[in-house]
Amino acid sequence: MDKRNKDDKKSPLIAPSWAKIDSEKGEIAVNIGISKETVIFNIGGVKFETYRSTLYRQPDSPLANEEFLRKHFRSDKKEYFFDRDPTMFKAILNYLRTGELHMPPYICGPAAKLELEFWGIPDRIIERCCYTHYNAYNSTLMALNRLEKDRHGSFDYPVDTHTNRTMSKWKRIRSKASIILNHPEKSKSAK
């Protein structure tokens, strides 16, 4: 994905998403991981060590934001501490290393989504092989919502047309049973 300077529509500076553009200086900064400086992350009690340059491969991520990291730095242990899911962080760190985001299959979609949002990683970049599993919760949730709507929608409280009042419980049950048995085309529950 290309980045262009928002103020200068004709800016010749175009760079991949993992590069930083300094339009004032007319430079593109690309950190290719040559630095030997490492950082240690303690994520939910699990320690990860990586090159600092790896963090800049996703410049919009909080991991590339020094101010954000400073808030979580424990100087006595010389590490950054986050009380987050270490399994998801491993996937995110591997994404920064390889450029491919693969999800652990045993993490449910909503939990993965929360972690991705916290770390500033868009879910649209999840690899195709993992996206189906990740998105399965959306499909399941939509199906459950449709079933719940059908269940409630087909059993609304009918109104007695003669008195314009809500029917008694027994009359409602009889009315719904009659619709289900005699008119299967009226609702999904009847079908």
Side-chain angles (χ1 to χ4, degrees):
M1 185 172 154
D2 294 339
K3 287 187 173 184
R4 293 183 187 260
N5 185 356
K6 293 176 187 171
D7 299 331
D8 185 7
K9 302 271 188 226
K10 297 178 185 179
S11 173
L13 297 177
I14 299 173
S17 64
W18 44 266
K20 290 188 178 183
I21 297 175
D22 186 347
S23 58
E24 292 174 10
K25 294 180 182 177
E27 297 176 348
I28 298 174
V30 179
N31 200 333
I32 56 173
I34 299 171
S35 168
K36 296 292 182 195
E37 181 187 1
T38 61
V39 291
I40 298 173
F41 289 95
N42 181 339
I43 312 294
V46 178
K47 294 200 179 186
F48 297 89
E49 186 171 4
T50 191
Y51 292 113
R52 183 171 294 281
S53 57
T54 301
L55 305 177
Y56 296 114
R57 292 191 178 153
Q58 181 69 28
D60 297 331
S61 168
L63 292 170
N65 182 330
E66 291 297 327
E67 186 177 320
F68 173 78
L69 290 176
R70 220 174 292 124
K71 292 177 186 175
H72 298 278
F73 188 70
R74 298 195 309 192
S75 57
D76 58 327
K77 298 188 179 198
K78 306 253 190 280
E79 67 184 16
Y80 297 97
F81 176 77
F82 294 91
D83 194 16
R84 307 297 298 190
D85 184 352
T87 306
M88 276 303 300
F89 185 77
K90 181 179 179 182
I92 290 165
L93 193 55
N94 281 334
Y95 161 66
L96 294 175
R97 290 174 179 148
T98 65
E100 294 182 355
L101 181 57
H102 293 278
M103 305 297 293
Y106 49 86
I107 292 185
C108 73
K113 186 174 182 71
L114 287 173
E115 289 300 307
L116 290 172
E117 286 172 358
F118 179 81
W119 296 111
I121 307 294
D123 63 354
R124 70 178 181 277
I125 62 171
I126 296 173
E127 292 298 315
R128 295 172 108 189
C129 57
C130 299
Y131 196 81
T132 303
H133 172 74
Y134 168 76
N135 199 38
Y137 82 97
N138 276 337
S139 303
T140 303
L141 187 61
M142 288 186 332
L144 288 173
N145 285 339
R146 279 194 305 270
L147 285 172
E148 189 69 17
K149 182 181 176 193
D150 288 345
R151 188 174 73 86
H152 286 302
S154 64
F155 288 101
D156 286 340
Y157 297 122
V159 174
D160 188 344
T161 54
H162 301 296
T163 63
N164 204 23
R165 291 175 38 199
T166 303
M167 293 182 187
S168 70
K169 188 176 184 177
W170 176 246
K171 283 186 178 181
R172 285 193 311 263
I173 293 171
R174 254 186 17 203
S175 173
K176 289 298 170 185
S178 171
I179 289 171
I180 289 172
L181 294 172
N182 298 322
H183 305 284
E185 72 282 353
K186 294 280 184 177
S187 72
K188 288 185 181 179
S189 299
K191 287 178 186 177

Short mmCIF file of all heavy atoms in Angstrom, two decimals, residues 4-43:
data_model
loop_
_atom_site.label_atom_id
_atom_site.label_comp_id
_atom_site.label_asym_id
_atom_site.label_seq_id
_atom_site.Cartn_x
_atom_site.Cartn_y
_atom_site.Cartn_z
N ARG A 4 1.14 8.63 0.61
CA ARG A 4 1.46 9.92 0.02
C ARG A 4 1.27 10.98 1.08
O ARG A 4 0.44 10.85 1.97
CB ARG A 4 0.57 10.22 -1.18
CG ARG A 4 0.82 9.29 -2.34
CD ARG A 4 -0.05 9.70 -3.51
NE ARG A 4 0.05 8.73 -4.56
CZ ARG A 4 0.81 8.88 -5.63
NH1 ARG A 4 1.54 9.94 -5.79
NH2 ARG A 4 0.85 7.95 -6.54
N ASN A 5 2.00 12.03 0.96
CA ASN A 5 1.86 13.16 1.85
C ASN A 5 0.47 13.74 1.67
O ASN A 5 0.06 14.07 0.56
CB ASN A 5 2.94 14.19 1.54
CG ASN A 5 2.94 15.35 2.50
OD1 ASN A 5 2.07 15.44 3.36
ND2 ASN A 5 3.91 16.23 2.34
N LYS A 6 -0.30 13.90 2.74
CA LYS A 6 -1.67 14.39 2.66
C LYS A 6 -1.72 15.84 2.19
O LYS A 6 -2.67 16.26 1.54
CB LYS A 6 -2.36 14.24 4.01
CG LYS A 6 -2.57 12.81 4.41
CD LYS A 6 -3.16 12.71 5.79
CE LYS A 6 -3.20 11.26 6.22
NZ LYS A 6 -3.55 11.11 7.59
N ASP A 7 -0.73 16.66 2.56
CA ASP A 7 -0.74 18.07 2.21
C ASP A 7 -0.31 18.30 0.76
O ASP A 7 -0.73 19.23 0.12
CB ASP A 7 0.20 18.86 3.14
CG ASP A 7 -0.25 18.76 4.59
OD1 ASP A 7 -1.47 18.61 4.81
OD2 ASP A 7 0.61 18.83 5.48
N ASP A 8 0.55 17.45 0.26
CA ASP A 8 1.11 17.63 -1.07
C ASP A 8 0.63 16.49 -1.97
O ASP A 8 1.20 15.42 -1.96
CB ASP A 8 2.63 17.67 -0.99
CG ASP A 8 3.28 17.98 -2.33
OD1 ASP A 8 2.57 18.28 -3.30
OD2 ASP A 8 4.50 17.88 -2.39
N LYS A 9 -0.41 16.73 -2.72
CA LYS A 9 -0.99 15.69 -3.57
C LYS A 9 -0.03 15.24 -4.67
O LYS A 9 -0.13 14.16 -5.19
CB LYS A 9 -2.29 16.19 -4.20
CG LYS A 9 -3.34 16.61 -3.21
CD LYS A 9 -4.19 15.46 -2.81
CE LYS A 9 -5.34 15.95 -1.98
NZ LYS A 9 -5.61 15.24 -0.83
N LYS A 10 0.93 16.09 -5.05
CA LYS A 10 1.84 15.76 -6.12
C LYS A 10 3.19 15.28 -5.60
O LYS A 10 4.17 15.30 -6.31
CB LYS A 10 2.04 17.00 -7.00
CG LYS A 10 0.76 17.43 -7.68
CD LYS A 10 0.98 18.67 -8.50
CE LYS A 10 -0.36 19.13 -9.07
NZ LYS A 10 -0.21 20.33 -9.84
N SER A 11 3.23 14.86 -4.35
CA SER A 11 4.48 14.42 -3.76
C SER A 11 5.00 13.18 -4.48
O SER A 11 4.26 12.22 -4.70
CB SER A 11 4.27 14.08 -2.28
OG SER A 11 5.44 13.51 -1.76
N PRO A 12 6.27 13.19 -4.88
CA PRO A 12 6.83 12.03 -5.57
C PRO A 12 7.19 10.90 -4.62
O PRO A 12 7.61 9.85 -5.06
CB PRO A 12 8.07 12.60 -6.26
CG PRO A 12 8.49 13.71 -5.35
CD PRO A 12 7.23 14.29 -4.79
N LEU A 13 7.03 11.12 -3.31
CA LEU A 13 7.44 10.11 -2.34
C LEU A 13 6.35 9.06 -2.20
O LEU A 13 5.25 9.32 -1.75
CB LEU A 13 7.72 10.76 -0.98
CG LEU A 13 8.86 11.76 -0.95
CD1 LEU A 13 8.96 12.38 0.43
CD2 LEU A 13 10.16 11.09 -1.33
N ILE A 14 6.67 7.86 -2.60
CA ILE A 14 5.76 6.73 -2.48
C ILE A 14 6.56 5.62 -1.82
O ILE A 14 7.69 5.33 -2.22
CB ILE A 14 5.24 6.27 -3.86
CG1 ILE A 14 4.46 7.41 -4.53
CG2 ILE A 14 4.37 5.04 -3.71
CD1 ILE A 14 4.07 7.11 -5.96
N ALA A 15 5.95 5.00 -0.81
CA ALA A 15 6.69 3.97 -0.08
C ALA A 15 5.75 2.87 0.35
O ALA A 15 4.55 3.07 0.49
CB ALA A 15 7.36 4.59 1.14
N PRO A 16 6.28 1.67 0.59
CA PRO A 16 5.45 0.59 1.13
C PRO A 16 4.97 0.96 2.53
O PRO A 16 5.52 1.85 3.17
CB PRO A 16 6.39 -0.62 1.19
CG PRO A 16 7.70 -0.16 0.68
CD PRO A 16 7.64 1.27 0.36
N SER A 17 3.94 0.26 3.02
CA SER A 17 3.34 0.58 4.32
C SER A 17 4.31 0.45 5.48
O SER A 17 4.13 1.08 6.50
CB SER A 17 2.11 -0.30 4.57
OG SER A 17 2.51 -1.64 4.66
N TRP A 18 5.37 -0.33 5.37
CA TRP A 18 6.30 -0.51 6.47
C TRP A 18 7.43 0.50 6.47
O TRP A 18 8.31 0.48 7.31
CB TRP A 18 6.87 -1.94 6.49
CG TRP A 18 7.28 -2.46 5.15
CD1 TRP A 18 6.51 -3.21 4.32
CD2 TRP A 18 8.51 -2.27 4.47
NE1 TRP A 18 7.18 -3.49 3.17
CE2 TRP A 18 8.43 -2.93 3.24
CE3 TRP A 18 9.69 -1.61 4.79
CZ2 TRP A 18 9.46 -2.95 2.33
CZ3 TRP A 18 10.72 -1.63 3.86
CH2 TRP A 18 10.60 -2.29 2.66
N ALA A 19 7.41 1.43 5.50
CA ALA A 19 8.41 2.50 5.45
C ALA A 19 7.79 3.79 5.96
O ALA A 19 6.58 3.97 5.92
CB ALA A 19 8.90 2.69 4.02
N LYS A 20 8.63 4.69 6.46
CA LYS A 20 8.15 5.98 6.95
C LYS A 20 8.57 7.06 5.97
O LYS A 20 9.70 7.08 5.50
CB LYS A 20 8.71 6.29 8.34
CG LYS A 20 8.14 5.41 9.41
CD LYS A 20 8.58 5.87 10.77
CE LYS A 20 7.95 5.00 11.83
NZ LYS A 20 8.27 5.43 13.16
N ILE A 21 7.64 7.99 5.70
CA ILE A 21 7.91 9.08 4.77
C ILE A 21 8.10 10.37 5.57
O ILE A 21 7.26 10.72 6.39
CB ILE A 21 6.75 9.26 3.77
CG1 ILE A 21 6.60 8.03 2.91
CG2 ILE A 21 6.98 10.50 2.92
CD1 ILE A 21 5.42 8.06 1.97
N ASP A 22 9.19 11.06 5.33
CA ASP A 22 9.43 12.38 5.89
C ASP A 22 9.42 13.35 4.72
O ASP A 22 10.44 13.57 4.07
CB ASP A 22 10.76 12.42 6.65
CG ASP A 22 10.97 13.74 7.37
OD1 ASP A 22 10.21 14.70 7.09
OD2 ASP A 22 11.89 13.81 8.21
N SER A 23 8.24 13.93 4.44
CA SER A 23 8.10 14.79 3.27
C SER A 23 8.84 16.11 3.43
O SER A 23 9.21 16.73 2.45
CB SER A 23 6.63 15.03 2.95
OG SER A 23 6.00 15.60 4.07
N GLU A 24 9.03 16.56 4.68
CA GLU A 24 9.76 17.81 4.89
C GLU A 24 11.21 17.66 4.45
O GLU A 24 11.78 18.57 3.85
CB GLU A 24 9.68 18.21 6.35
CG GLU A 24 8.29 18.63 6.79
CD GLU A 24 8.19 18.90 8.27
OE1 GLU A 24 9.23 18.95 8.95
OE2 GLU A 24 7.06 19.05 8.75
N LYS A 25 11.81 16.53 4.76
CA LYS A 25 13.20 16.29 4.37
C LYS A 25 13.30 15.66 2.98
O LYS A 25 14.37 15.57 2.41
CB LYS A 25 13.89 15.37 5.37
CG LYS A 25 14.06 15.96 6.74
CD LYS A 25 14.76 14.97 7.65
CE LYS A 25 14.93 15.49 9.05
NZ LYS A 25 15.55 14.48 9.92
N GLY A 26 12.16 15.20 2.48
CA GLY A 26 12.17 14.53 1.19
C GLY A 26 12.82 13.17 1.25
O GLY A 26 13.50 12.75 0.32
N GLU A 27 12.58 12.45 2.35
CA GLU A 27 13.23 11.16 2.55
C GLU A 27 12.22 10.07 2.87
O GLU A 27 11.16 10.32 3.44
CB GLU A 27 14.21 11.23 3.73
CG GLU A 27 15.35 12.20 3.52
CD GLU A 27 16.23 12.31 4.77
OE1 GLU A 27 15.82 11.82 5.85
OE2 GLU A 27 17.31 12.88 4.66
N ILE A 28 12.58 8.86 2.51
CA ILE A 28 11.83 7.68 2.90
C ILE A 28 12.75 6.88 3.80
O ILE A 28 13.86 6.53 3.42
CB ILE A 28 11.42 6.83 1.68
CG1 ILE A 28 10.50 7.63 0.76
CG2 ILE A 28 10.75 5.54 2.14
CD1 ILE A 28 10.17 6.91 -0.53
N ALA A 29 12.27 6.61 5.02
CA ALA A 29 13.09 5.84 5.97
C ALA A 29 12.64 4.39 5.93
O ALA A 29 11.48 4.08 6.14
CB ALA A 29 12.93 6.40 7.37
N VAL A 30 13.57 3.52 5.64
CA VAL A 30 13.29 2.09 5.60
C VAL A 30 14.22 1.41 6.58
O VAL A 30 15.44 1.50 6.47
CB VAL A 30 13.52 1.50 4.18
CG1 VAL A 30 13.24 0.02 4.17
CG2 VAL A 30 12.67 2.23 3.17
N ASN A 31 13.63 0.75 7.57
CA ASN A 31 14.42 0.06 8.56
C ASN A 31 14.40 -1.41 8.19
O ASN A 31 13.36 -2.06 8.28
CB ASN A 31 13.82 0.30 9.95
CG ASN A 31 14.82 0.03 11.04
OD1 ASN A 31 15.73 -0.76 10.86
ND2 ASN A 31 14.63 0.69 12.16
N ILE A 32 15.50 -1.96 7.77
CA ILE A 32 15.52 -3.32 7.22
C ILE A 32 16.05 -4.36 8.20
O ILE A 32 16.34 -5.47 7.83
CB ILE A 32 16.32 -3.38 5.91
CG1 ILE A 32 17.73 -2.86 6.12
CG2 ILE A 32 15.60 -2.64 4.82
CD1 ILE A 32 18.63 -3.04 4.92
N GLY A 33 16.16 -4.00 9.45
CA GLY A 33 16.53 -4.99 10.44
C GLY A 33 18.00 -5.23 10.58
O GLY A 33 18.41 -6.28 11.03
N ILE A 34 18.81 -4.26 10.22
CA ILE A 34 20.25 -4.43 10.36
C ILE A 34 20.69 -4.21 11.80
O ILE A 34 21.66 -4.76 12.26
CB ILE A 34 21.00 -3.47 9.40
CG1 ILE A 34 20.61 -3.78 7.97
CG2 ILE A 34 22.49 -3.55 9.59
CD1 ILE A 34 21.09 -2.79 6.96
N SER A 35 19.93 -3.40 12.52
CA SER A 35 20.27 -3.07 13.90
C SER A 35 20.35 -4.32 14.76
O SER A 35 19.53 -5.23 14.65
CB SER A 35 19.20 -2.13 14.47
OG SER A 35 19.36 -2.01 15.86
N LYS A 36 21.33 -4.33 15.63
CA LYS A 36 21.48 -5.47 16.55
C LYS A 36 20.83 -5.18 17.90
O LYS A 36 20.87 -6.02 18.79
CB LYS A 36 22.96 -5.79 16.75
CG LYS A 36 23.66 -6.25 15.49
CD LYS A 36 23.13 -7.58 15.05
CE LYS A 36 23.88 -8.05 13.81
NZ LYS A 36 23.23 -9.13 13.14
N GLU A 37 20.24 -3.97 18.06
CA GLU A 37 19.61 -3.63 19.33
C GLU A 37 18.33 -4.47 19.48
O GLU A 37 17.48 -4.50 18.60
CB GLU A 37 19.25 -2.14 19.37
CG GLU A 37 18.60 -1.75 20.67
CD GLU A 37 18.08 -0.31 20.66
OE1 GLU A 37 18.21 0.38 19.64
OE2 GLU A 37 17.53 0.09 21.69
N THR A 38 18.24 -5.15 20.61
CA THR A 38 17.05 -5.96 20.86
C THR A 38 16.23 -5.36 21.98
O THR A 38 16.73 -4.59 22.80
CB THR A 38 17.43 -7.41 21.23
OG1 THR A 38 18.20 -7.40 22.41
CG2 THR A 38 18.17 -8.10 20.10
N VAL A 39 14.96 -5.72 22.00
CA VAL A 39 14.04 -5.32 23.06
C VAL A 39 13.36 -6.57 23.59
O VAL A 39 13.19 -7.55 22.86
CB VAL A 39 13.00 -4.30 22.56
CG1 VAL A 39 13.63 -2.96 22.25
CG2 VAL A 39 12.24 -4.82 21.37
N ILE A 40 13.00 -6.51 24.85
CA ILE A 40 12.33 -7.64 25.49
C ILE A 40 10.92 -7.22 25.86
O ILE A 40 10.71 -6.17 26.49
CB ILE A 40 13.10 -8.11 26.74
CG1 ILE A 40 14.48 -8.59 26.33
CG2 ILE A 40 12.32 -9.21 27.46
CD1 ILE A 40 15.39 -8.93 27.50
N PHE A 41 9.97 -8.05 25.48
CA PHE A 41 8.58 -7.86 25.83
C PHE A 41 8.15 -8.98 26.77
O PHE A 41 8.43 -10.15 26.51
CB PHE A 41 7.68 -7.91 24.58
CG PHE A 41 7.83 -6.71 23.70
CD1 PHE A 41 8.69 -6.74 22.62
CD2 PHE A 41 7.10 -5.56 23.94
CE1 PHE A 41 8.83 -5.65 21.80
CE2 PHE A 41 7.23 -4.46 23.13
CZ PHE A 41 8.10 -4.49 22.05
N ASN A 42 7.49 -8.60 27.85
CA ASN A 42 6.88 -9.56 28.75
C ASN A 42 5.39 -9.44 28.51
O ASN A 42 4.75 -8.48 28.91
CB ASN A 42 7.23 -9.23 30.20
CG ASN A 42 6.65 -10.22 31.18
OD1 ASN A 42 5.69 -10.92 30.87
ND2 ASN A 42 7.21 -10.28 32.36
N ILE A 43 4.83 -10.41 27.83
CA ILE A 43 3.42 -10.39 27.46
C ILE A 43 2.71 -11.46 28.27
O ILE A 43 2.87 -12.65 28.01
CB ILE A 43 3.20 -10.64 25.96
CG1 ILE A 43 4.11 -9.77 25.10
CG2 ILE A 43 1.73 -10.47 25.59
CD1 ILE A 43 3.85 -8.29 25.19
#
